[in-house]
Amino acid sequence: MHQEKIDQWVEETIGSLDGARRAEAKPFLLTRVLARMQAEQAGAENIWTKAGAFLSRPAVAMAGLLLIVLLNAAIIISNVNDNRNNTVQQVSSAKDEFAINVISIYDTENLEP
Amino acid sequence: MEHPEIIARLKQGDRKAFAEIVEQCQHMVYNTALGIVQHEEDAEDITQNVFVTLYEKISSFREESALSTWLYRITVRKALDHEKRKQREKHGGLLKRIFSVRESDEPAHFDHPGVMLDKKEQAAILLRAIKKLPEKQRVAFTLHKMEGLSYQQIADIMENSQFATESLLVRAKNNLRNILKEYYEQQFK
């Protein structure tokens, strides 16, 4: 009994779209389509829109990010090396400037005429 | 609508010819898009998009088929693309998946504006079931039921043989019967 009822509902449901009217688009569609075309044309002419679209591509964005990370790493590594050389240079120039080579007061006295 | 003279004018960029075609085909395009996406704002957006594409790509229309067939093809493709994009947005993004409440995969309730009042409830159940069909079956069934197209017209739009289209529609109906049977059996329990 239940099965017969269900079969009947199924067939009625499958036929429920028979005789349905066509849904209609809202009025003034042409105006909206023309406005959209103008907006798209204006957008296509704008170089910044094109640049933005290009940069926002996942592949381009990831490549840019990777490049920034690599540049940062290279700068940090070269700075560390420079700092090591600078420290040695600074120590030797300070030695020259303040005559730290002179190690005793007797040597200084001997230098005088 | 199938006047070669209007198509020739449109190919030359005549805006009046374009306006005539929009006027004549707008409801056909809108109703087809609505049948597939089952969402009024999305169907409106797709309709606008179809006419923009028509204007831009008319030069590539070789007139081997009727203009209406070509328009149906563009509409179906855009509606299916729109659905896939929406589906990706719905499921996509790790952060979105972590922080958002999981939406149900069950299709939303939709009332087709052209359905008679006494059949509204059953039609809504049928439309939900149609959403669960495989893509080709869904398109063929929607074009047949919503637009009232013949097997041959559907075959032309889907670039199938008439036999393949008939078999697609038979499979669509059988699948719908199974989905609806399951639905009513659950309601009965």
Side-chain angles (χ1 to χ4, degrees), chain A residues 81-91:
Chain A
N81 286 340
D82 282 354
N83 281 347
R84 268 194 212 134
N85 292 339
N86 282 346
T87 315
V88 174
Q89 273 178 353
Q90 276 168 3
V91 168

Side-chain angles (χ1 to χ4, degrees), chain A residues 8-30:
Chain A
Q8 189 194 334
W9 284 343
V10 166
E11 290 311 315
E12 281 175 10
T13 307
I14 285 184
S16 62
L17 285 175
D18 295 344
R21 277 185 303 107
R22 204 181 227 178
E24 293 191 354
K26 286 179 192 150
F28 311 113
L29 178 77
L30 178 65

Side-chain angles (χ1 to χ4, degrees), chain A residues 11 13 18 21-22 32, chain B residues 44 114 145 147 177 184:
Chain A
E11 290 311 315
T13 307
D18 295 344
R21 277 185 303 107
R22 204 181 227 178
R32 293 194 295 282
Chain B
E44 160 83 26
K145 284 282 178 180
E147 276 293 296
R177 275 195 188 97
Y184 282 123

